[in-house]
């Protein structure tokens, strides 16, 4: 019976409530901390006990010291500036406004980005070392410019009316431009520098249309006010725009505002901006080229019709959890320049209804290339001029390799670096039309970059795989085909210039007066920069590329039929993919909804794993074996992947010990049984979210981001980026990183553009391969991500991503192929999305591509997806997933399932996963120690013990408070009578 409450009862009730809140906070914090164990251990410097890292190039013997770190960090920041200098793209330079002369040093900096730029996205990655970071204004001042302080003070004093976000530019309000402010222009009128910035990041795509009804890639009203103030003042001799955006802004307004020059600087990282300013001053001759098409209207790409979220209509079915949304790539292969350039050729040649109004967004009448495109893919200006001559072009049958020999002549007065881009065109035949095989008018095949002094010539050879000109036939041959006919190849200043050179050679007089540059000026095309090759076959060759070029035992055929939306939907909802055979009739419309039928409903269910009837038994395996001579982790260094010694090594481990390697907590725990140290794993493509273990222990380097790396079009710089990233890892004691990113920029609005290279799968093929190779030379296991069809952030967890097999193979998988099949990467992260309806990490198709077609022998990890209804741990394991990202619970669930069901098939996959994981760790910088140096403890780190003590203490306080409340409220233990009686007894 409850007695009358007292003040003390209320006190204890309050304390009990507070204890409940405190215990929840402490337990939640403990759970989060344990999930982030590797990062915490790294920050505290207690990870990887026993592991020895070394191999730096900044000491004579490769050892890591504070002195070598000092040399390294100086070189790292210099490289940040170098990659920015070589990746910045001069898009526009009216009347040679740039480079600036030595006398042009009194300048005014406009735009929030001039003092608060977008250095990088906020996705997982490096944090700044603020004392070293460089804004455009910092870089200008460092280069000797006198910057208008009155305007800077006004910016610093003014409130930002809107936050910078994916739907708001966040530029200062136009009210800042008072007459008093504008009076300051006259003394700083040599140049008006205007920095335009855009921001998006992981989990958030850039808004195609914001709340104001504006496209986020068009000029904002406050940005227009900047240019109006500059123009109306009449005080500036030049206006130079710095594009601080990895997103391709609409640039059709340059003449309206009398802009003199535009330099794309992308996201320069925290320390790279001085490199871009060296381009402005002429210390560096610009040599960067675009990695995406700059359209006049950013919604003119056909992908815009089906980007973002579209809903399933479940009708009478109960909706599948994490199965609400889909996106369909109805444009097929016509992504980025492959759309704009192919439609341009068909417009010039008057075929395929290419000049219809379908898809025209910036053209006054019909579709016109010069109206729709501002700057083409692969385009970039220099302070000098180059002539290109294709000296020789040949094909070697034995190696299936094309070799182009190109001479580049510098016809200007300034030394420079010339980008040599090789493109190809394959014939578009009747067979292709009948079988739905699409052909881009021009496609990148390879590239190089060479130094060419003024007035001299240099010759370069570019080798490219022959199979790059093959096309994937998903309907007829269900494999790669080589069409009969003439193939054309050309070099040029980007895809458009190369296509004009091809058309001039292919069509001759038929295209005279019809070819134009991106500005609409009539050009002739350069036939000397082009070549023709006639295929030896007279019919469609379906055999030449029928076998994998990496594994001749495997036939290449359709693997992703079920990724095509037409595989699932009823006949009345089937789509037609965009085809150059009729641009007007096939231009995509928005697929607003899909009606879920029984087939699709079943397909969306991911919880389907059932132990096979003929599964092995757990007793078929030998685990926890005591060998006559123990084999430690380091003893397996250099042992071939298929050596039977691996079986003996793994047999020493119990099931629980095997599963340690399969749970990631921002690192992998130590395994005492074989003296395998623990290690840290970090994000990300823009730099590692870790700290150095030497010198001043600052944050790891925030590099100029991957679009800049891609825009260098330089194999050496891209490889060097990987090497310097690897050096960062050595000095931070990090053996594995989730980088680089290699998804394709299907849309200019993709939220993670800052983490990817390009809109083109072939440029990404080479760039990712180069970066991954550079990392490997330093012992870092780069984990290429996110494999694949992960081109948007909206609905990324659970979204069904539909595409046809030709687009999958020629565009989206090709970006990863260079590093995972052709290169030497040993890590790949799958994506959150579904491939069709199948979660990527549970896709047997992905496992087939990686393990069979590509003969990939690295590890596979899912993206950081904890328990979810659209993922299934046993399905993921059976599909080849080797480790669960940021998830130590799933391995525990796997252990229970194996033991409860006697599932030897799952156990075999656990063993396979451990072979991969141990193999790659020994290939990493973790394998740098000698056997006698590694003695591992499995004791919990001190901070975990402290947290557990805190957990117990909080629970004890909670229990005590509850007990005291009950005693005070429901008993007479603390009543005056009881207390008095006890007092009398004493």
């Amino acid at each position: 019976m409850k007695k009358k409450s007292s003040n003390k009862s209320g006190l204890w009730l309050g304390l009990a409530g507070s204890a409940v809140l405190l215990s929840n906070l402490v337990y939640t914090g403990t759970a989060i901390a344990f999930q982030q164990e590797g990062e915490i251990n790294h920050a505290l410097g207690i990870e990887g006990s026993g592991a020895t890292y070394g191999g730096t190039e900044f000491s004579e013997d490769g050892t890591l010291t504070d002195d070598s770190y000092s040399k390294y960090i100086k070189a790292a920041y210099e490289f940040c500036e170098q990659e920015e200098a070589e990746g910045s793209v001069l898009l526009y330079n009216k009347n040679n406004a740039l480079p600036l002369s030595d006398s042009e040093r009194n300048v005014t900096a406009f735009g929030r980005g001039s003092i608060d730029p977008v250095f990088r996205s906020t996705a997982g990655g490096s944090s700044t070392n603020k004392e070293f970071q460089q804004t455009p204004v910092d870089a200008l001042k460092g280069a000797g410019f006198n910057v208008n302080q009155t305007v800077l003070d006004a910016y610093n004093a003014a409130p930002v009316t809107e936050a910078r976000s994916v739907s708001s530019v966040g530029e200062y309000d136009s009210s800042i431009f008072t007459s008093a402010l504008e009076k300051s222009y006259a003394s700083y009128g040599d140049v008006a520098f205007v920095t335009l910035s855009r921001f998006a990041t992981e989990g958030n795509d850039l808004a195609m249309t914001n709340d104001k009804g504006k496209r986020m890639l068009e000029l904002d009203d406050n940005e227009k006010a900047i240019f109006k103030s500059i123009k109306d003042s009449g005080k500036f001799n030049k206006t130079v725009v710095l594009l601080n955006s990895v997103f391709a802004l609409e640039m059709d307004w340059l003449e309206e505002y009398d802009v003199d020059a535009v330099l794309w600087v992308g996201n320069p990282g925290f320390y790279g901006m001085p490199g871009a300013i060296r381009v402005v001053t002429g210390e560096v001759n610009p040599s960067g080229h675009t990695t995406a098409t700059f359209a006049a209207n950013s919604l003119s790409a056909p992908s815009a019709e089906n980007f973002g979220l579209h809903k399933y209509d479940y009708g009478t079915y109960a909706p599948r959890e994490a199965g609400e949304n889909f996106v369909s790539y109805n444009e097929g292969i016509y992504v980025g320049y492959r759309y704009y350039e192919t439609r341009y050729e068909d417009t010039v040649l008057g075929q395929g209804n290419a000049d219809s109004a379908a898809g025209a967004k910036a053209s006054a009448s019909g579709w016109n290339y010069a109206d729709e495109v501002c700057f083409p893919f692969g385009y970039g200006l220099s302070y000098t001029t180059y002539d290109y001559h294709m000296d020789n072009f040949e094909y070697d049958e034995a190696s299936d390799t094309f070799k182009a020999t190109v001479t580049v002549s510098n016809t200007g007065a300034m030394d420079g670096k010339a980008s040599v881009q090789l493109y190809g065109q394959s014939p578009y035949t009747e067979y292709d039309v009948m079988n739905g095989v699409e052909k881009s008018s021009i496609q990148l095949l390879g590239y190089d970059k060479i130094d060419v002094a003024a007035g001299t010539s240099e010759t370069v050879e570019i080798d490219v795989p022959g199979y790059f000109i093959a096309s994937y036939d998903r309907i007829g041959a269900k494999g790669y085909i080589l069409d009969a006919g003439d193939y054309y190849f050309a070099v040029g200043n980007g895809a458009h210039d190369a296509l004009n050179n091809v058309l001039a050679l292919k069509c001759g007089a038929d295209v005279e007066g019809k070819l134009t540059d991106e500005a609409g000026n009539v050009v002739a095309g350069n036939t000397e920069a082009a070549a023709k090759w006639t295929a030896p076959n007279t019919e469609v060759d379906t055999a030449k590329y029928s076998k994998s070029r990496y594994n001749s035992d495997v036939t290449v055929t359709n693997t992703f039929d079920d990724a095509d939306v037409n595989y699932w939907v009823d006949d009345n909802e089937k789509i037609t993919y965009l085809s150059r055979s009729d641009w007007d009739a096939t231009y995509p419309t928005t697929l607003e909804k899909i009606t879920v039928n029984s087939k699709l409903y079943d397909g969306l269910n991911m919880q389907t794993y059932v132990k096979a009837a003929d599964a092995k038994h757990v007793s078929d395996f030998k685990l926890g074996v005591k060998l006559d001579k123990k084999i430690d982790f380091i003893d397996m260094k250099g042992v071939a992947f298929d050596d039977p010694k691996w079986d003996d090594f793994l047999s020493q481990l119990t099931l629980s010990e095997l599963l340690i390697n399969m749970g990631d907590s921002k690192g992998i725990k130590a395994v005492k049984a074989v003296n395998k140290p623990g290690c840290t794993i970090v994000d990300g493509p823009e730099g590692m979210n870790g700290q150095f273990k030497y010198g001043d222990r600052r944050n790891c380097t925030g590099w100029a981001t991957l679009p800049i790396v891609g825009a260098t079009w330089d194999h050496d710089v891209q490889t060097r980026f990987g090497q310097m990233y690897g050096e960062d890892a050595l000095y931070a004691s990090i053996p594995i990183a989730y980088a680089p990113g290699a998804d394709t920029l299907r849309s200019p609005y993709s939220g993670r553009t800052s983490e990817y290279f390009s809109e083109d799968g072939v440029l990404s093929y080479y760039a990712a391969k180069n970066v991954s190779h550079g990392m490997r030379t330093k012992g870092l296991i780069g984990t290429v991500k996110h494999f694949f069809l992960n081109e948007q952030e909206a609905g990324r967890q659970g979204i069904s991503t539909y595409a046809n097999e030709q687009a999958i193979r020629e565009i989206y998988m090709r970006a990863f192929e260079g590093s995972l099949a052709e290169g030497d990467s040993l890590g790949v992260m799958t994506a959150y999305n579904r491939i069709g309806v199948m979660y990527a990490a549970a896709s047997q198709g992905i496992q087939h591509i990686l393990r069979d077609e590509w003969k990939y022998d690295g590890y596979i990890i899912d993206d950081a997806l904890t328990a979810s209804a659209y993922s299934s741990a046993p399905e993921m394991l059976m599909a080849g997933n080797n480790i669960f990202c940021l998830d130590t619970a799933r391995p525990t669930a796997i252990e229970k399932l194996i033991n409860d069901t006697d599932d030897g098939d799952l156990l075999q996959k656990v063993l396979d996963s451990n072979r991969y994981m141990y193999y790659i760790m020994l290939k990493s910088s973790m394998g740098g120690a000698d056997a006698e140096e590694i003695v591992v403890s499995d004791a919990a780190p001190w901070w975990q013990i402290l947290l557990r003590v805190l957990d117990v203490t909080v629970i004890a306080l909670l229990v005590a408070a509850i007990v005291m409340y009950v005693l005070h409220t429901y008993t007479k233990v603390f009543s005056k009578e009881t207390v008095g009686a006890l007092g009398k007894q004493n």
Side-chain angles (χ1 to χ4, degrees), residues 228-248:
K228 186 176 186 301
S229 178
I230 293 168
K231 184 177 179 180
D232 291 352
S233 75
K235 301 298 184 183
F236 293 98
N237 298 327
K238 294 177 181 178
T239 300
V240 175
V241 176
L242 302 177
L243 291 184
N244 170 221
S245 168
V246 292
F247 309 97

Side-chain angles (χ1 to χ4, degrees), residues 353-366:
N353 293 320
D355 60 354
S356 75
K361 297 293 172 68
S363 304
S365 176

Side-chain angles (χ1 to χ4, degrees), residues 122-155:
T122 55
S126 56
S127 299
T128 187
N129 297 290
K130 196 163 186 178
E131 63 270 37
F132 302 109
Q133 74 180 23
Q134 292 283 305
T135 67
V137 166
D138 292 333
L140 285 167
K141 289 180 176 179
F145 286 88
N146 303 310
V147 183
N148 187 337
Q149 191 61 43
T150 302
V151 171
L152 297 181
D153 289 343
Y155 277 138

